[in-house]
Amino acid sequence: TNALTMAWRLFKNLSEEQQRYEKQLVFEHPAFAKLCQQLLRGARRMTRGDLVFSLHALVHLGVPQNTLLVQTLVRVCQEKLNQLDNRCISVLATTLVGMEKDKNVSALQAGLQLLVEQRISSIRDIFVLQNLMKCLGKDAPLFLKKKLEMAVVREIDGLTFPNALRMFLALAAMNYCSLPILNPCSKKIQENVHDVPFRQLILILEVCHTLLYRNVKLFSALADYVNSTAYLWDKRQIILFLSACETLGFQPTELLDFFAEKVTEDPDFLNLKYLLIALRVYSRLNHVPRVQKDLFFETLHSCLNKCLPQISNTELLKAVYALGILGYLPHRALDELLQKDSKDELLLSDDPKEQNAVMLHSVKTCMELDSPSFTKPAFVLTENLSSLVSLNLRKAQEALVELLGDENMFRQNVQLPYGYHIDFEIRMDSDRKKVLPIAATDDHPDSHVQRLAFLFAPMSAFCLGTTHPQGKLAMKKRHLSKLGYHVILIQNKKFQEMRNEDAVEFLKRKIYSEDAFSFPEATLQDNN
């Protein structure tokens, strides 16, 4: 056991290539075969510690799982399971994480689960609890996940920084979002953020995405740290970090500005892979650099042109779509895209809701509405879809009736050209003092009538923790402005949480406030 364990400890510090070479030497060495035979003969006479450590070392050294030796040790562990102390249980749990499921491994894992259920109250070591969480994984019954959670919370005051990092991974393995554990772990990570390796920074964000855990303070601390030490990191590392932020809908503004500056200074590192990531990040987060935005777009456009010979049809569509969301039309790539569309090479099916079809429709809308030659139409053809509103808009409808006195003073469920839809429309006089009846303005179209479009959007349509709209919503707002609407974005979840009288007052401020009419028609962003 000592020989195998020492071999594994030495192997851990080698590179993958060195490990492969050394393992081959070890496996071919005659003494290793004798050692394995001796282990096989003495398996049932071994102490519990030697048993689990031998199995752990063999598995991690890469001895095939289907060998007689490994299978024998697994079966003996089943037989002696009740004799194992907490330390041995922890080692066994770590070993099982690295093994494929077969008949014996599954039986051993099931036995271990029963044992943990019996002993959970006596396990005080967070490290042991973490190993058990990883081993039992997402298939553990909910009641056992809750018991493990309670056991960890009981010891949370003694949480160390390394344990906080490992706890994130343990919860991810169980696919269990425990706020009583994650919140203290997040605080510990924020306090020690300068000690987190770069790969772990990205791993933390990925775990938060998996667990649907949203902690703006944690994300901000990680982003601020990367931004303050950006000179230490490779640009490829930073774009991967930004990609992890994008999956969470989190907008690290300063870091995005810094990276954009680096792209304009040295765009050569942007191969097709990193270019597509950058386009996805900036378009979804609706982020335009505060300085040299035109140069940034031109740089991305130039990189895209260089990649055209090697880019696939879907990648080309995604790239043009991303730039379109940001209000930029890459003409050469757009021409190539339209040629492919004319040959029916882009759409994967006839379903208009299919992803490629939706992106292509948006690109064509951008071509028309974002063109410099487009002028605001004097009249927009609209259609009322239904007099019924969805349940999540009922409160807004009632507040508007109370505020305006009559349902005839606004429209609901309005369908516009280009496939756009608005929740409510209100029309006002040119001085923005009075709301006008819908029927009166329909009979006498007047260019001086102000048209307000209310969009009640989910929280997921905004960057995390802000009122900054993400790409699709920002593009919709921009296009509605081009069609002559003053667009008012409202986070529906927060609106639903208001008391009725507060909701009425909130809409009153939105309708009659000067701010509601301060959106320039040609602007691109609501950049923070």
Side-chain angles (χ1 to χ4, degrees):
T1 300
N2 289 341
L4 289 170
T5 303
M6 180 54 69
W8 162 236
R9 285 176 180 166
L10 293 171
F11 270 91
K12 276 199 305 184
N13 299 320
L14 300 177
S15 67
E16 284 188 29
E17 190 176 340
Q18 286 176 311
Q19 282 187 16
R20 282 195 296 272
Y21 174 70
E22 293 291 343
K23 279 180 186 178
Q24 186 176 355
L25 292 179
V26 168
F27 289 170
E28 291 173 354
H29 199 288
F32 183 72
K34 289 181 181 178
L35 186 65
C36 290
Q37 290 167 5
Q38 185 180 346
L39 198 56
L40 185 61
R41 288 194 301 270
R44 284 182 167 76
R45 297 194 302 275
M46 296 172 73
T47 65
R48 60 192 182 188
D50 288 345
L51 178 64
V52 294
F53 274 101
S54 295
L55 179 60
H56 178 273
L58 287 170
V59 168
H60 285 89
L61 282 171
V63 175
Q65 187 174 317
N66 60 358
T67 56
L68 179 61
L69 174 59
V70 173
Q71 291 295 321
T72 299
L73 292 179
V74 169
R75 285 196 295 270
V76 175
C77 284
Q78 288 179 46
E79 295 167 9
K80 296 190 174 185
L81 197 55
N82 288 323
Q83 301 172 25
L84 302 184
D85 59 16
N86 290 347
R87 181 167 178 259
C88 291
I89 287 174
S90 177
V91 175
L92 182 58
T94 306
T95 307
L96 289 175
V97 170
M99 299 183 75
E100 296 177 6
K101 292 287 177 68
D102 61 26
K103 186 177 178 181
N104 286 327
V105 169
S106 296
L108 180 54
Q109 193 161 14
L112 183 62
Q113 181 175 310
L114 292 172
L115 187 63
V116 170
E117 291 173 25
Q118 297 168 9
R119 291 202 196 167
I120 191 75
S121 59
S122 68
I123 301 176
R124 302 284 181 180
D125 190 325
I126 281 188
F127 184 74
V128 173
L129 291 168
Q130 287 169 342
N131 289 338
L132 290 173
M133 291 161 76
K134 289 179 186 176
C135 174
L136 298 176
K138 61 183 179 182
D139 295 329
L142 183 59
F143 79 88
L144 184 54
K145 291 180 180 180
K146 289 186 177 295
K147 281 189 173 183
L148 285 164
E149 176 187 38
M150 290 170 62
V152 172
V153 170
R154 196 171 57 221
E155 308 299 326
I156 205 75
D157 290 341
L159 185 74
T160 64
F161 167 61
N163 276 338
L165 286 173
R166 284 194 289 265
M167 189 56 72
F168 263 78
L169 300 178
L171 287 168
M174 285 208 308
N175 195 23
Y176 186 64
C177 184
S178 166
L179 296 183
I181 296 176
L182 285 169
N183 288 340
C185 287
S186 297
K187 190 174 180 182
K188 186 68 71 173
I189 290 170
Q190 290 172 56
E191 292 168 356
N192 298 272
V193 67
H194 291 86
D195 297 323
V196 183
F198 196 90
R199 176 61 193 140
Q200 294 272 18
L201 294 171
I202 295 176
L203 207 55
I204 290 167
L205 296 177
E206 289 173 346
V207 167
C208 291
H209 176 65
T210 300
L211 297 178
L212 303 178
Y213 177 62
R214 302 294 182 262
N215 186 326
V216 176
K217 286 185 177 179
L218 172 63
F219 303 159
S220 298
L222 299 184
D224 290 346
Y225 167 61
V226 173
N227 187 55
S228 66
T229 57
Y231 59 91
L232 296 174
W233 314 115
D234 184 85
K235 290 187 284 290
R236 294 170 184 82
Q237 289 178 301
I238 295 176
I239 189 60
L240 293 177
F241 179 84
L242 290 174
S243 178
C245 290
E246 176 263 329
T247 60
L248 293 161
F250 175 69
Q251 181 193 23
T253 307
E254 291 184 7
L255 188 59
L256 286 161
D257 283 343
F258 171 83
F259 182 77
E261 187 181 327
K262 292 301 171 187
V263 167
T264 55
E265 288 175 2
D266 176 27
D268 291 341
F269 80 96
L270 274 184
N271 59 19
L272 179 58
K273 172 187 171 182
Y274 293 114
L275 174 64
L276 291 173
I277 293 174
L279 289 170
R280 189 188 74 237
V281 168
Y282 282 82
S283 63
R284 185 191 168 191
L285 297 179
N286 178 31
H287 186 89
V288 170
R290 291 174 180 168
V291 295
Q292 295 187 317
K293 72 174 186 181
D294 292 332
L295 178 59
F296 177 64
F297 284 139
E298 288 164 10
T299 303
L300 293 178
H301 187 187
S302 174
C303 291
L304 177 59
N305 287 342
K306 290 178 184 175
C307 294
L308 287 180
Q310 66 192 88
I311 200 168
S312 71
N313 292 347
T314 301
E315 288 169 339
L316 175 62
L317 177 57
K318 286 180 177 178
V320 175
Y321 171 69
L323 286 167
I325 282 180
L326 291 167
Y328 186 88
L329 298 175
H331 298 292
R332 183 177 158 193
L334 197 52
D335 290 342
E336 189 159 327
L337 185 73
L338 295 176
Q339 288 177 21
K340 293 179 183 295
D341 179 42
S342 66
K343 299 175 185 176
D344 293 327
E345 295 176 1
L346 293 174
L347 301 186
L348 304 177
S349 72
D350 294 329
D351 183 2
K353 294 183 179 179
E354 188 264 325
Q355 186 183 16
N356 280 13
V358 171
M359 287 193 290
L360 187 60
H361 172 77
S362 294
V363 167
K364 291 178 177 178
T365 301
C366 289
M367 286 175 60
E368 187 168 341
L369 295 182
D370 293 328
S371 169
S373 60
F374 181 81
T375 54
K376 184 173 76 173
F379 179 76
V380 178
L381 185 64
T382 62
E383 177 186 351
N384 277 29
L385 290 178
S386 168
S387 59
L388 298 174
V389 296
S390 59
L391 282 175
N392 65 341
L393 292 175
R394 192 72 52 80
K395 183 172 185 173
Q397 181 192 39
E398 292 169 356
L400 285 170
V401 169
E402 184 173 340
L403 177 62
L404 304 177
D406 191 342
E407 282 195 16
N408 295 322
M409 302 299 287
F410 62 90
R411 298 174 71 195
Q412 53 205 23
N413 279 343
V414 183
Q415 184 66 44
L416 301 178
Y418 307 100
Y420 283 128
H421 163 269
I422 56 179
D423 298 317
F424 299 98
E425 178 186 343
I426 290 175
R427 296 175 189 173
M428 302 184 76
D429 65 341
S430 57
D431 294 328
R432 307 196 293 269
K433 302 294 185 186
K434 182 181 177 183
V435 176
L436 305 174
I438 295 293
T441 51
D442 274 343
D443 294 341
H444 306 286
D446 186 346
S447 60
H448 295 295
V449 171
Q450 304 280 357
R451 301 157 73 93
L452 273 68
F454 283 83
L455 302 180
F456 287 79
M459 298 296 284
S460 59
F462 299 86
C463 290
L464 189 66
T466 73
T467 56
H468 181 68
Q470 291 189 14
K472 290 181 184 178
L473 182 58
M475 177 176 66
K476 180 176 181 179
K477 179 183 173 184
R478 184 176 76 243
H479 288 166
L480 292 182
S481 296
K482 293 287 185 77
L483 292 173
Y485 285 92
H486 295 286
V487 183
I488 298 175
L489 300 181
I490 297 174
Q491 294 180 335
N492 198 27
K493 182 176 183 292
K494 291 189 176 181
F495 183 81
Q496 297 297 330
E497 292 168 355
M498 294 179 186
R499 295 180 304 172
N500 290 340
E501 55 268 32
D502 293 335
V504 173
E505 187 61 32
F506 174 80
L507 290 179
K508 183 178 179 180
R509 289 197 306 272
K510 289 290 183 183
I511 292 171
Y512 295 105
S513 167
E514 292 282 331
D515 293 340
F517 297 86
S518 62
F519 308 125
E521 290 181 13
T523 53
L524 211 56
Q525 311 295 322
D526 291 324
N527 213 3
N528 294 323

